[in-house]
Amino acid sequence: MADRKTRIVMKFGGTSVADLDRIRNVAARVKREVAAGNEVAVVVSAMAGVTNQLVKYCQDLSPLHDQREYDAVVATGEQVTSGLTAIALQEIGVSARSYQGWQIPLRTDDQHGKARIESVDGATLIAAMQASIVPVVAGFQGVGPDDRVATLGRGGSDTSAVALAAALKADRCDIYTDVDGIYTTDPRVVPKARKIARVAYEEMLELASVGAKVLQTRSVELAMKMRVRVQVLSSFASDNILGGDLPGSLVVDEDEIVEQEIVSGIAYSRDEAKITVRHIPDRPGVAAAIFGPLSAAGVNVDMIVQNIGADTSSTDLTFTIGKTDLPRAKAVLGEHQEKIGFAELVADADVAKISVVGVGMRSHAGVANTMFTALAAKGINIQVISTSEIKVSVLIGADYTELAVRALHTAYGLDAA
Ligand code: ADP
Ligand code: ASP
Ligand code: MG
């Protein structure tokens, strides 16, 4: 049997394709991998800022816009960069062509705006690569069961890349971005953050799910399930190095990690909003009456706390949802006010969720208490708390985000020397 070439999926995020010079830089990187004898498929995001602008257009026209039309709008950012990147490659002598989600096809479920990938047909792209054509795939998009374009949720190009890597049986999935790896926390917030050379799938999954945007949560979920080797690399690193030699971060199995910290990372998210439903009757079925309609409307609920009211007949329920779902959630709860029987709904979008994550928490006590003590020392009030086996999260006022992340990074001994 002839030796199979090393097959690599190279994904480039928004800042890596932010302008024509950067697209030329991407093309040069791709050309180097091809020249080294590898088979390459490329996945691109929209130019930095473009998706935000497109989302805003939809929101400004209508806060409760049709999600299928939202997808038709926001998927265009990636169509532009896939074509431009193919042109840039052709310009330096590399055969290339762009592919939109429907042309592969990459099929999704019907959850427009945050669709999940259901299947990816690798045949077309494999045939292209074997004919020495570099496929440049528009990330973030697929085609739904209604044959309409569907997007994969913000940051979804990472998931496109991992899904393609699985479908193409790629040897590696290289995620090129504007930082040179996965850090103990966002290096833009904490300059003393340390790069983690190897991070366990499970930890990265938890970190991503609580806000570490360096990888979209679903991309990590999929990588873990399909055993895809994911590397996070800088697209701005010195020019002549191949992806295999770049000093990025690798997402691996827990047992591939020799020394495990108790807390491996800290993440924050300003993407949630808090809703308090006041004076609801304290009886069975009320939580179901609130969360049932929200779930039916596709609104995901994250943290939940039920307070004991001053008198025993009524209570308050506080929970968090994605900020972008706030108009929808308010509308749904408004419609059901009588049935639920609440007196008042208070929404607060000025909150941040701060989380500490580490598999070492399973076997060490006191992790949560270190968090509460460090926040108290800075005078930061905790509004809601939630925990899992390897994570503790708190909701605080958004103004305290940086202060809290820095204080916790120091408190858990994560600061670089
Ligand atoms: P791209 O457009 O390339 O997908 P993103 O902005 O989605 O890039 O993700 C990269 C950003 O993730 C970095 O610029 C950094 O600010 C942020 N980030 C948050 N948490 C982390 C972390 N733990 N390690 C590295 N980067 C992080
Ligand atoms: N362009 C999309 C976004 O900004 C997808 C991505 O960048 O991964 O969310
Ligand atoms: Mg991203």
Side-chain angles (χ1 to χ4, degrees):
M1 200 176 81
D3 277 349
R4 176 159 145 341
K5 285 183 171 181
T6 299
R7 192 172 279 168
I8 308 167
V9 170
M10 300 173 78
K11 180 260 171 178
F12 295 92
T15 44
S16 309
V17 292
D19 57 38
L20 296 186
D21 273 339
R22 291 194 178 169
I23 289 177
R24 287 189 189 100
N25 169 55
V26 163
R29 256 178 214 292
V30 171
K31 184 175 182 173
R32 267 200 301 282
E33 296 289 353
V34 172
N38 300 317
E39 271 180 3
V40 179
V42 178
V43 176
V44 287
S45 293
M47 290 177 165
V50 167
T51 311
N52 284 348
Q53 179 62 64
L54 296 170
V55 170
K56 189 168 182 300
Y57 286 149
C58 297
Q59 284 169 344
D60 286 354
L61 276 178
S62 162
L64 293 174
H65 48 259
D66 180 343
Q67 290 293 91
R68 294 159 302 187
E69 300 307 347
Y70 164 94
D71 277 348
V73 174
V74 300
T76 58
E78 275 73 9
Q79 173 157 348
V80 171
T81 46
S82 62
L84 289 175
T85 306
I87 292 174
L89 281 164
Q90 291 166 2
E91 193 59 21
I92 55 171
V94 180
S95 296
R97 75 152 270 194
S98 63
Y99 287 87
Q100 308 310 300
W102 63 272
Q103 292 171 314
I104 295 176
L106 185 154
R107 297 213 165 269
T108 73
D109 66 11
D110 61 1
Q111 290 292 304
H112 281 278
K114 46 183 160 194
R116 291 187 84 95
I117 297 176
E118 293 206 321
S119 67
V120 183
D121 187 342
T124 309
L125 301 188
I126 289 173
M129 287 190 289
Q130 287 174 342
S132 298
I133 296 166
V134 174
V136 184
V137 176
F140 184 49
Q141 51 157 284
V143 55
D146 51 3
D147 281 337
R148 297 177 69 165
V149 64
T151 63
L152 309 176
R154 297 305 307 272
S157 297
D158 297 328
T159 306
S160 309
V162 172
L164 278 175
L168 302 177
K169 298 194 170 52
D171 299 276
R172 265 179 16 227
C173 183
D174 289 350
I175 306 279
Y176 284 91
T177 183
D178 57 357
V179 287
D180 63 353
I182 298 161
Y183 281 73
T184 46
T185 192
D186 190 339
R188 294 185 197 289
V189 170
V190 181
K192 285 183 178 165
R194 272 190 280 132
K195 186 154 79 175
I196 319 174
R198 284 165 179 257
V199 56
Y201 282 119
E202 212 184 321
E203 263 172 341
M204 191 59 232
L205 187 59
E206 199 82 50
L207 276 170
S209 75
V210 293
K213 289 184 178 166
V214 61
L215 290 173
Q216 198 202 31
T217 309
R218 283 178 188 168
S219 72
V220 187
E221 216 170 66
L222 201 58
M224 187 161 135
K225 190 167 139 211
M226 307 299 288
R227 318 312 295 170
V228 174
R229 239 179 131 70
V230 174
Q231 273 197 104
V232 175
L233 308 167
S234 166
S235 66
F236 306 118
S238 60
D239 267 345
N240 292 314
I241 307 182
L242 291 167
D245 300 323
L246 273 174
S249 297
L250 207 56
V251 190
V252 295
D253 268 328
E254 213 176 300
D255 53 17
E256 278 189 59
I257 296 173
V258 190
E259 263 189 73
Q260 192 67 61
E261 310 270 355
I262 299 172
V263 164
S264 54
I266 297 168
Y268 65 91
S269 166
R270 293 195 189 96
D271 296 339
E272 288 183 29
K274 180 180 76 168
I275 292 185
T276 300
V277 188
R278 315 261 325 248
H279 303 304
I280 49 172
D282 194 6
R283 58 171 159 73
V286 173
I290 293 173
F291 297 123
L294 287 175
S295 146
V299 176
N300 291 331
V301 175
D302 179 24
M303 307 169 99
I304 303 177
V305 57
Q306 180 164 349
N307 314 313
I308 313 287
D311 64 280
T312 48
S313 61
S314 89
T315 181
D316 292 351
L317 192 80
T318 297
F319 55 92
T320 64
I321 57 168
K323 233 176 226 177
T324 51
D325 283 336
L326 193 53
R328 211 172 295 276
K330 279 183 179 168
V332 167
L333 292 174
E335 278 165 31
H336 290 77
Q337 179 162 9
E338 215 168 306
K339 194 159 161 241
I340 302 166
F342 66 88
E344 191 191 0
L345 185 155
V346 185
D348 181 2
D350 237 2
V351 291
K353 184 173 75 173
I354 315 291
S355 308
V356 301
V357 171
V359 290
M361 279 185 209
R362 288 195 197 112
S363 47
H364 287 80
V367 173
N369 193 46
T370 302
M371 183 176 201
F372 305 149
T373 309
L375 295 176
K378 296 286 179 195
I380 301 171
N381 187 41
I382 298 171
Q383 304 178 10
V384 185
I385 301 170
S386 74
T387 62
S388 80
E389 201 189 12
I390 64 165
K391 172 201 80 185
V392 186
S393 301
V394 295
L395 198 73
I396 61 170
D399 287 349
Y400 297 102
T401 309
E402 276 91 2
L403 181 63
V405 173
R406 290 200 188 116
L408 294 173
H409 200 264
T410 305
Y412 288 106
L414 296 174
D415 288 351

